[in-house]
Amino acid sequence: AAGLVGYLLRDRGPERFMELLRRFDPARPDESLRAVLGQSPAALEKGWHGTFQAAAPGGVLRFVRLSVAYLRPYRGQVAEILLYIAIAVAFTNILARSSQWLFDRALPGPGRAGDGTFLAQLMAGLVAALVVMFVTSLRGERLQAHVAESVLRDMRLRSFALLQRMHPAFFQTMPSGDILSRMTSDLAAIQYALTGALAQGLQLMLTLVVAVLTVFWLNWQLAILAVAGMPLFFVTTRWLGPAAARAGYARQQHLADATGTLQENLAAQPVVKAFGLERHMVDAYTGRLDTLFRSSMRLTFLSSLFGVAANGIASAIQLTVLGVGGWLILEGSLTVGTLVAFSALLGQIIGPVQSISGIMQALQQASGAMDRVDQLLRLQPAIADRPDARPAPRLSREVRFDHVGFSYLPGQPVLRDLSLVIPAGARVAIVGPSGCGKSTMLSLISRFHDPDQGRVTLDGVDLRDLTLASVRGQTGVVFQDNFLFDNAIRENIRLGSPGASDAAVEAAARAAEIHEMITEMPEGYDTTVGERGSRLSGGQRQRVAIARAILRDPAILLLDEATSALDPSTEAAINETLARLAHGRTTITVTHRLTGAATADRIIVMDRGAVVESGTHDQLLAHGGLYARLWREQGGHAAVAGASYAGAEAARLHDVPVFAGLDGSLLAALAQRLSRERYHADDVIITEGERGDRLYIIRHGEVEVVMTGPSGQQRQVATLHEGDHFGEIALLYDVPRTATIRARGPVELYGLGRAEFDALLAAVPGLRATLEGVMNQRVRASVVS
């Protein structure tokens, strides 16, 4: 059963296999799968990717068989190429035979005079044949290049088009470096084999066969001697071929690993620089290159053995034929012309034998590359239209989750028997702890995944019964990290609706409140945004992404942590824009910042893959459940000290004693100026004697205060907890740090710079006295201890 499943998966993919299971149990194909294999569809797909990665190479014969399949659309041109190859082989054979006619008929010899007329006819015929061969060879070379490049173009296009149809989970399990390697270096190896090695190999083999037949016609005794060593060549090929094929496949895999490491490193440069990982990265890449070096050396060594074996066999054949042929001439049973012709034809046997090693090496390398590209081209998208899928009308009633279950890994469900109705036109926020399934719900609505159990419906119709284009065509998505192409702003927005006019693009930009910013740029809408939008700020990138989504005019607007990576002021501005644009659309927002969810028509609270609460902000706070607890943890008070500011950070600052007397507006302003810093256990936060320029407030964790005594020994004088502050002495009196502060465990701090600190002292009368009082208490405590 497992072998049959592996075969079906490798050739058909998970989605096709699930279709087979539906024939046994249409209502619950996943249960049928568990009954057969004890695995979920997610585990099935993971195993399928394993078979995809581990498929063994098939060698030269498989390369030829696969090449024939890809060459089939060009069979007329291939037939013409074969004709030209046959003409070239015939010419070389006739040219070799002509030496016999020259010595035995045209030139004078023992007992006969020369024949000038025959010599002239012979040379005229050879010249005419040379012209024909020259013209047809040029035509054949051009056709070979045209066919090979056409096949490579088809492969590239098919691979690229296939990748566009693959579902997002595929790119999470398939390394991008491996995909790039298949579409670059693997295709380059195939290109060389198709343009040179394969055609040259065919010509050499045909030359060899014709030459062998001709030498048998000339003298069967010498021919037997000439071909007696040929089986040794094929035995050597049979012996070395599989090992070389495996080595070629391994080299391509290791090259893909090295390419993937390089690509990942380029994308991770900010992390590499921030954590000083340069040496570590070089060591890791060195390991990849060492593995690639060893596999390349093994492939080169195995392939070179072909040349050694071929040269040995060819030399032995040539020596044997020369010796025996000379003896036959002395015996009078062989003419000089026949031996000369035989020797020339023997070169057409030895030449292919000697050249075949290089051809085999190229084909062995190309066989591994062809296997890897063919694996990619045989993939079937796991998320695809059913044969009877129909277009989805624009949403008018509801989006429904009907007893939905889903998991990425077997035994680890993300959604559990989820049932939920989202009315059309509603503004819904989905909140909950990390990992509870919030973003997964959006992925199911967009049909990036299909549920393992149950169904997701639009107006009562299962998404799997609707075409992908019509489902995704009425959804607009704004992610936390939106990808912008290295193109003009105008074209990045136009991707929401590729046929949109410039006026429509600008209207979408106005709606996203980014039109003024764009027009102030030197090139306006034609400004190039850089790789991944690197020339724009985070807020600008988000607004371009919002404009792109609005241009699509979606019935369903999906916001997946769309503002969580932005600073509070930018987040608030974009939230206002999104709230205005959501009018008349079904808007589903996934967020972990509850202040952004408080104004939704309905808030859905998730925990461990299930809906645990649902209602408005006020209803959920009154209920006192998970939402209320999360709201308190984020400090989300509706009013702080009489001010209507709902910022979570301002509410949390209100609970810090040193800021308890500030009004809401000051807290709001302060919250936007504070930075956050995180430290690990035993990290030194500030060092005694250094210049101080920041005040710190402990948000989470504990720190210890260490001072140097008169004898030079360090001693701990205090432990500070959540809500305590330190560093104020250096700021109040502009003196060096008076103590060392070390984290006792994971610590998160608020940091306030000198300029903001001075402004705070000026704005809050009595705050300086409060800070000095705390400072004096600590000094007295340190003296006592």
Side-chain angles (χ1 to χ4, degrees):
L4 176 60
V5 168
Y7 171 79
L8 291 172
L9 289 177
R10 194 159 47 246
D11 271 11
R12 301 298 180 187
E15 181 66 19
R16 298 287 186 254
F17 185 68
M18 292 297 292
E19 290 290 344
L20 293 176
L21 289 178
R22 289 188 183 97
R23 298 183 183 181
F24 293 95
D25 189 349
R28 297 181 301 170
D30 53 295
E31 295 300 330
S32 299
L33 180 61
R34 287 192 175 90
V36 175
L37 298 177
Q39 293 182 332
S40 68
L44 169 67
E45 181 158 357
K46 183 178 180 181
W48 170 63
H49 279 294
T51 64
F52 176 70
Q53 292 281 4
V60 174
L61 291 180
R62 177 171 171 80
F63 173 79
V64 173
R65 186 167 62 251
L66 291 174
S67 297
V68 169
Y70 290 112
L71 289 168
R72 190 170 291 117
Y74 307 95
R75 49 185 173 270
Q77 293 164 304
V78 171
E80 188 177 351
I81 291 171
L82 293 177
L83 174 62
Y84 297 149
I85 290 176
I87 292 174
V89 170
F91 175 78
T92 56
N93 186 269
I94 292 172
L95 188 62
R97 287 285 313 280
S98 65
S99 61
Q100 179 191 15
W101 302 326
L102 181 67
F103 279 95
D104 291 347
R105 293 185 57 183
L107 299 180
R112 72 171 188 279
D115 189 342
T117 301
F118 178 76
L119 176 62
Q121 293 173 344
L122 176 63
M123 294 307 298
L126 289 176
V127 169
L130 174 63
V131 172
V132 172
M133 189 274 296
F134 179 77
V135 172
T136 56
S137 294
L138 286 178
R139 169 69 176 169
E141 290 292 333
R142 186 181 185 281
L143 276 178
Q144 287 181 36
H146 174 77
V147 171
E149 290 300 329
S150 297
V151 171
L152 266 293
R153 180 191 60 194
D154 294 344
M155 284 185 167
R156 289 189 178 100
L157 185 58
R158 285 180 57 189
S159 300
F160 187 81
L162 174 70
L163 292 175
Q164 308 314 301
R165 300 197 308 272
M166 297 306 293
H167 61 300
F170 170 80
F171 300 98
Q172 297 169 2
T173 56
M174 189 73 177
S176 57
D178 188 90
I179 297 174
L180 288 175
S181 178
R182 291 173 195 261
M183 294 187 66
T184 53
S185 60
D186 286 344
L187 284 176
I190 296 172
Q191 181 181 29
Y192 172 72
L194 289 177
T195 55
L198 190 58
Q200 186 180 356
L202 288 173
Q203 183 167 349
L204 289 174
M205 292 301 296
L206 184 59
T207 301
L208 178 63
V209 171
V210 173
V212 168
L213 293 177
T214 305
V215 296
F216 267 100
W217 183 79
L218 285 175
N219 188 286
W220 66 268
Q221 296 99 329
L222 288 180
I224 290 176
L225 292 176
V227 301
M230 296 299 294
L232 294 177
F233 168 74
F234 294 106
V235 168
T236 304
T237 302
R238 178 71 176 173
W239 175 49
L240 294 175
R246 289 192 296 272
Y249 186 83
R251 180 190 178 278
Q252 293 302 118
Q253 290 283 55
H254 296 150
L255 179 60
D257 292 341
T259 303
T261 300
L262 174 61
Q263 184 197 26
E264 185 178 49
N265 178 269
L266 293 177
Q269 278 302 301
V271 177
V272 172
K273 297 297 187 294
F275 289 90
L277 299 176
E278 292 87 351
R279 184 70 258 169
H280 176 76
M281 293 293 107
V282 171
D283 292 342
Y285 191 58
T286 300
R288 296 290 192 189
L289 292 182
D290 288 344
T291 303
L292 176 61
F293 173 79
R294 289 191 294 269
S295 63
S296 298
M297 288 294 296
R298 175 175 170 77
L299 174 62
T300 302
F301 173 73
L302 289 174
S303 299
S304 66
L305 290 181
F306 283 114
V308 175
N311 287 333
I313 294 171
S315 299
I317 293 173
Q318 193 171 31
L319 289 174
T320 302
V321 168
L322 287 176
V324 175
W327 181 78
L328 290 176
I329 291 176
L330 294 176
E331 289 290 317
S333 58
L334 189 71
T335 66
V336 173
T338 301
L339 180 60
V340 172
F342 197 101
S343 299
L345 289 168
L346 185 61
Q348 296 181 24
I349 298 174
I350 294 175
V353 169
Q354 291 175 322
S355 302
I356 204 70
S357 62
I359 301 298
M360 292 298 294
Q361 178 178 352
L363 292 179
Q364 292 290 2
Q365 293 179 356
S367 69
M370 178 67 87
D371 278 322
R372 284 165 47 81
V373 174
D374 185 65
Q375 288 168 355
L376 184 63
L377 291 174
R378 284 177 174 269
L379 288 176
Q380 295 290 338
I383 307 296
D385 288 339
R386 289 178 175 175
D388 58 346
R390 61 184 187 273
R394 191 173 178 88
L395 181 70
S396 61
R397 299 197 309 273
E398 64 180 23
V399 177
R400 180 183 293 268
F401 287 77
D402 188 7
H403 297 285
V404 170
F406 180 80
S407 61
Y408 295 102
L409 298 174
Q412 301 180 29
V414 178
L415 299 178
R416 309 166 186 262
D417 194 31
L418 177 67
S419 293
L420 176 67
V421 177
I422 301 174
R427 292 177 56 210
V428 174
I430 303 174
V431 302
S434 297
C436 67
K438 304 186 296 294
S439 294
T440 300
M441 293 175 65
L442 298 191
S443 295
L444 294 178
I445 295 174
S446 300
R447 238 199 127 192
F448 292 165
H449 303 278
D450 283 337
D452 298 336
Q453 299 96 31
R455 60 182 192 152
V456 181
T457 66
L458 294 184
D459 290 339
V461 182
D462 193 325
L463 290 182
R464 289 169 289 201
D465 294 327
L466 302 171
T467 61
L468 278 170
S470 64
V471 171
R472 294 175 182 169
Q474 61 177 300
T475 60
V477 186
V478 181
F479 300 100
Q480 176 179 353
D481 183 15
N482 288 281
F483 189 95
L484 298 185
F485 292 86
D486 189 7
N487 207 334
I489 294 177
R490 185 192 313 277
E491 299 309 317
N492 271 282
I493 296 175
R494 203 194 305 273
L495 289 174
S497 179
S501 64
D502 288 349
V505 169
E506 293 184 15
R510 291 180 188 275
E513 299 180 1
I514 197 175
H515 174 76
E516 298 299 329
M517 182 275 295
I518 296 174
T519 56
E520 291 174 359
M521 292 182 173
E523 298 180 64
Y525 279 87
D526 293 322
T527 301
T528 301
V529 302
E531 186 176 359
R532 301 180 67 91
S534 58
R535 297 179 184 175
L536 303 181
S537 68
Q540 290 169 341
R541 287 195 298 270
Q542 289 300 87
R543 289 195 181 276
V544 170
I546 293 169
R548 183 167 61 192
I550 293 306
L551 184 63
R552 199 173 183 82
D553 189 25
I556 306 171
L557 184 59
L558 305 178
L559 308 174
D560 191 0
E561 301 283 9
T563 60
S564 62
L566 305 175
D567 62 85
S569 59
T570 305
E571 178 188 13
I574 289 183
N575 277 334
E576 290 179 5
T577 302
L578 291 173
R580 180 173 51 81
L581 295 174
H583 180 70
R585 310 178 195 276
T586 305
T587 305
I588 305 174
T589 303
V590 163
T591 181
H592 69 274
R593 292 187 178 180
L594 301 188
T595 53
T599 58
D601 300 335
R602 181 183 176 196
I603 301 172
I604 298 168
V605 185
M606 301 284 297
D607 190 22
R608 298 183 181 180
V611 176
V612 294
E613 294 176 335
S614 177
T616 66
H617 171 74
D618 292 336
Q619 290 171 341
L620 293 174
L621 285 183
H623 182 262
L626 176 60
Y627 181 85
R629 179 171 65 82
L630 293 174
W631 181 261
R632 288 194 301 270
E633 288 179 356
Q634 292 190 14
H637 302 285
V640 180
S644 57
Y645 177 76
E649 297 301 336
R652 187 179 289 273
L653 290 175
H654 180 260
D655 295 329
V656 176
V658 72
F659 300 132
L662 301 183
D663 62 25
S665 59
L666 279 175
L667 282 175
L670 180 62
Q672 295 184 17
R673 288 171 170 78
L674 289 175
S675 63
R676 283 196 195 178
E677 300 179 19
R678 292 180 174 87
Y679 295 89
H680 300 291
D682 296 325
D683 284 352
V684 175
I685 302 168
I686 63 176
T687 302
E688 185 176 358
E690 68 180 6
R691 185 178 182 277
D693 60 355
R694 297 182 73 76
L695 168 70
Y696 293 97
I697 304 99
I698 302 175
R699 188 174 189 269
H700 290 303
E702 294 182 341
V703 301
E704 58 185 20
V705 182
V706 178
M707 299 184 70
T708 303
S711 60
Q713 300 233 348
Q714 289 191 333
R715 57 194 179 94
Q716 180 179 336
V717 298
T719 300
L720 305 181
H721 309 277
E722 184 174 324
D724 289 336
H725 55 84
F726 58 88
E728 71 283 348
I729 298 177
L731 293 180
L732 286 171
Y733 302 109
D734 195 19
V735 296
R737 298 291 192 190
T738 58
T740 295
I741 308 295
R742 183 181 293 113
R744 302 192 65 182
V747 173
E748 185 174 1
L749 306 173
Y750 292 120
L752 189 65
R754 179 180 294 277
E756 290 79 6
F757 178 75
D758 291 341
L760 184 64
L761 290 181
V764 184
L767 179 58
R768 184 183 187 95
T770 301
L771 293 173
E772 289 177 338
V774 174
M775 175 194 68
N776 292 330
Q777 292 178 5
R778 290 181 184 168
V779 171
R780 287 194 295 270
S782 65
V783 172
V784 171
S785 62

